[in-house]
Amino acid sequence: MWLSIFIMIVFIYILYRLLKFWIYIPWSIHRHLWAQGIPGQYRPVIGEILMIRRAIVADDPMAYNIKMANKFGSYYHVSFGPIARLAINDPLLIQGVLKTNARAYHKSNLMQLILGSLIGNENLLMAEDNIHAQHRRLISPAFQHQNINSMTSLMVDITTDLINKWSSTMNNENNVLTLDIHKEMARLTLDIVTGCVFGSGMMKNEHIREIIHEGVTTTLKDVEERTFNMIGIIPIINQLPLPSKRRIEKSKRNVKLAVQHIIDERKRGLTKSACKGPDLLDLLLSAHGNDKTSKFSDEELFQEALTFVLAGHETTSTLMTWTLYNLANNPDVCHRLEEEIDSVLNDNEEITISTISLLNYTECVLKESLRLHQPAAALVRTAVEDNTLIASDGKHIHIKKGTDIMINLYMLHHSDKYWTEPFKFDPSRFDERHVDIWLPFSSGPRSCIGQNFAMLEAKIMLAMIIKRFRFQLIPGQKHVPDIAVTLRPKYGMWMKVSSR
Ligand code: HEM
């Protein structure tokens, strides 16, 4: 008897939670936005997920967002699965979420489920409020110019290894190589970021590198799959020990052991930085404030180190791959870039930070690639308190606690309101500054802390590679961005590489 009552209560509770999540909360958010005259549409339970999936399967992943923005304008409400969200690409609204009202927003619950399940929630990327502010304060010095500049020689050395590998293979194969450039760039950026974070302990240990590489790349695939089939989104269901969940957990355990091993070795003085100055692990280990409570715990240290690898790997390799793609499609731009690089980089001279600072057009090429193919297509936030946003047309939008906001960077970067010929690859547009409408690294207190690191690394890799090689796209390929954590090319990027 008591058991039956207990089972009944548990059943009613689960039903209540599911109905609240699937129906009540989304409906009340849509109703609140409609009441203010915000355009949008509401499909109960599955929302727009099938449309998005259809666009992805048709290899036109942006089609759905473009269609919605054309239909409704620069702000509208839709649903991702059961989750109601306001989609925005209006610069003033974006500024409201990222800067003016930043305190009223957290990373979305969805992102906590996706990335938090991989790297935890006690790190710079995922932590909120005071914990985030404390971590940001402790980590910021590590990303100051002086520290990052001391990593230049390691970035140069690792890129030189790749160039030498290509050159020697090329000599055996009629001076032309056929390569999946995305794979090459993914390996290169992983080597650089792990080298700059973990130093010699990492660089000498191929086994540990493989565990981290596998952990980061294959787990991200599982996590993405679980998002689009909604298993990863639905409360209770996302805790079930399904094969994908077990794979993620196993991979997390392996990565944790590997990273913990590297940290322990460094603490015991068995490994050291491979940069001219301290690496990011040294800087994390020495991060402390005036009292003990402001030092990183072992768990936080582990999560931060892994966050750097995760946040700094896919993003930069995606940037490099699309940049080489854009250059292959725009010979005039490539020619001007080669001229600049040839005049700045001298074969017999060491590449230093002052050489790199002369590469102005190279920087414009990278910025334009970050506009046309921004690695992060969208940012999603959840309102943690009621607040009001103001759009460029003067409209005041009251946002209820619990509303998800999708900041559509892709639409912002491709809008003809702000960019002339938005689909043209034209680096010279970056002769001017584009504050608040060029946001590949986001903006405000949660903007990318690795921005200077990424730009320095990309400039070094691009300049050194273009100095030595030309790239030609293999015809007949599909060049489709994968709408995953980053917009990496879904089918890779096959190119013919030849010596200049
Ligand atoms: C082209 C390369 C990169 C791009 C486009 C990029 C983009 C971004 C974006 C858009 C965010 C904000 C995410 C959000 O608000 O949800 C972010 C945050 C972050 N990025 Fe990057 N990133 C790049 C490279 C890097 C690198 C190389 C590192 C580290 C070595 C890094 C570390 C981080 C961290 C730790 C955060 C969280 C910052 C915070 O919340 O305080 N990123 N990045």
Side-chain angles (χ1 to χ4, degrees), residues 98 107-108 111 115 123-128 132-133 135-136 139 143 193 196-197 280 304-305 307-320 370 373-381 407 409 439-455 457-458 486:
L98 295 178
K107 297 283 167 98
S108 71
M111 191 168 164
L115 284 181
N123 55 71
L124 195 54
L125 194 61
M126 302 308 303
E128 300 291 354
H132 173 263
H135 282 224
R136 185 108 188 177
I139 289 174
F143 284 92
V193 80
C196 289
V197 176
L280 290 170
E304 291 300 359
T307 299
F308 290 157
V309 174
L310 184 90
H313 161 224
E314 269 272 321
T315 43
T316 322
S317 64
T318 301
L319 162 63
M320 284 302 292
L370 283 166
H373 293 102
Q374 57 288 292
L379 307 172
V380 190
R381 296 286 191 268
I407 299 169
L409 295 180
L439 298 176
F441 295 106
S442 184
S443 174
R446 302 300 306 243
S447 64
C448 178
I449 203 168
Q451 173 168 357
N452 294 332
F453 179 102
M455 285 307 280
E457 178 192 6
T486 65

Side-chain angles (χ1 to χ4, degrees), residues 175-245:
N175 292 331
V176 178
L177 281 181
T178 304
L179 295 171
D180 178 353
I181 284 298
H182 187 58
K183 254 199 183 142
E184 299 290 311
M185 291 302 113
R187 194 72 223 197
L188 176 60
T189 53
L190 185 68
D191 284 352
I192 291 182
V193 80
T194 49
C196 289
V197 176
F198 297 120
S200 61
M202 182 75 185
M203 298 182 66
K204 286 184 192 141
N205 196 327
E206 191 57 38
H207 175 61
I208 290 188
R209 278 149 63 114
E210 266 318 307
I211 290 178
I212 294 187
H213 181 66
E214 267 301 293
V216 171
T217 48
T218 54
T219 308
L220 272 183
K221 268 204 191 107
D222 266 329
V223 167
E224 280 158 26
E225 186 55 34
R226 284 166 59 87
T227 307
F228 279 103
N229 62 22
M230 294 206 282
I231 287 174
I233 304 179
I234 306 166
I236 303 172
I237 307 281
N238 61 18
Q239 299 304 325
L240 297 178
L242 299 172
S244 57
K245 175 90 175 165

Side-chain angles (χ1 to χ4, degrees), residues 114-404:
I114 297 176
L115 284 181
S117 69
L118 193 60
I119 54 173
N121 290 311
E122 292 168 43
N123 55 71
L124 195 54
L125 194 61
M126 302 308 303
E128 300 291 354
D129 302 327
N130 291 343
I131 299 184
H132 173 263
Q134 183 211 8
H135 282 224
R136 185 108 188 177
R137 208 174 41 249
L138 289 171
I139 289 174
S140 287
F143 284 92
Q144 273 166 6
H145 279 293
Q146 192 192 348
N147 277 321
I148 290 179
N149 293 352
S150 76
M151 294 169 188
T152 306
S153 57
L154 182 63
M155 293 175 181
V156 171
D157 290 348
I158 295 176
T159 312
T160 306
D161 287 347
L162 179 79
I163 288 175
N164 290 343
K165 189 181 98 188
W166 283 0
S167 298
S168 60
T169 325
M170 211 170 254
N171 291 337
N172 304 330
E173 296 186 14
N174 299 332
N175 292 331
V176 178
L177 281 181
T178 304
L179 295 171
D180 178 353
I181 284 298
H182 187 58
K183 254 199 183 142
E184 299 290 311
M185 291 302 113
R187 194 72 223 197
L188 176 60
T189 53
L190 185 68
D191 284 352
I192 291 182
V193 80
T194 49
C196 289
V197 176
F198 297 120
S200 61
M202 182 75 185
M203 298 182 66
K204 286 184 192 141
N205 196 327
E206 191 57 38
H207 175 61
I208 290 188
R209 278 149 63 114
E210 266 318 307
I211 290 178
I212 294 187
H213 181 66
E214 267 301 293
V216 171
T217 48
T218 54
T219 308
L220 272 183
K221 268 204 191 107
D222 266 329
V223 167
E224 280 158 26
E225 186 55 34
R226 284 166 59 87
T227 307
F228 279 103
N229 62 22
M230 294 206 282
I231 287 174
I233 304 179
I234 306 166
I236 303 172
I237 307 281
N238 61 18
Q239 299 304 325
L240 297 178
L242 299 172
S244 57
K245 175 90 175 165
R246 291 209 308 270
R247 270 197 306 275
I248 293 173
E249 290 304 325
K250 183 172 171 215
S251 179
K252 257 171 69 177
R253 273 196 307 276
N254 289 343
V255 170
K256 186 161 189 167
L257 280 176
V259 173
Q260 206 54 61
H261 176 74
I262 297 172
I263 295 175
D264 289 345
E265 285 204 322
R266 179 65 61 90
K267 278 183 174 167
R268 285 158 50 213
L270 299 175
T271 63
K272 59 180 173 36
S273 162
C275 310
K276 282 204 168 142
D279 60 15
L280 290 170
L281 186 54
D282 284 331
L283 296 163
L284 283 178
L285 281 166
S286 67
H288 60 85
N290 295 329
D291 60 86
K292 272 196 171 249
T293 51
S294 54
K295 255 190 167 176
F296 286 132
S297 67
D298 279 356
E299 175 62 23
E300 288 168 329
L301 203 73
F302 155 74
Q303 287 194 17
E304 291 300 359
L306 193 59
T307 299
F308 290 157
V309 174
L310 184 90
H313 161 224
E314 269 272 321
T315 43
T316 322
S317 64
T318 301
L319 162 63
M320 284 302 292
T321 306
W322 287 114
T323 302
L324 293 174
Y325 165 86
N326 288 324
L327 290 171
N329 278 330
N330 293 276
D332 290 354
V333 174
C334 190
H335 184 67
R336 188 171 158 197
L337 180 69
E338 286 172 359
E339 276 181 356
E340 175 179 91
I341 291 168
D342 290 349
S343 71
V344 171
L345 297 194
N346 189 325
D347 280 340
N348 309 317
E349 264 176 40
E350 192 189 347
I351 299 174
T352 62
I353 198 68
S354 29
T355 343
I356 303 297
S357 66
L358 299 173
L359 295 167
N360 296 324
Y361 190 65
T362 313
E363 185 161 327
C364 292
V365 166
L366 290 165
K367 283 183 169 171
E368 176 66 339
S369 259
L370 283 166
R371 181 191 69 82
L372 210 50
H373 293 102
Q374 57 288 292
L379 307 172
V380 190
R381 296 286 191 268
T382 303
V384 289
E385 54 187 68
D386 285 13
N387 68 103
T388 300
L389 297 170
I390 304 170
S392 304
D393 61 8
K395 173 98 185 156
H396 284 50
I397 306 178
H398 182 257
I399 305 291
K400 250 180 28 161
K401 179 179 170 183
T403 307
D404 262 25

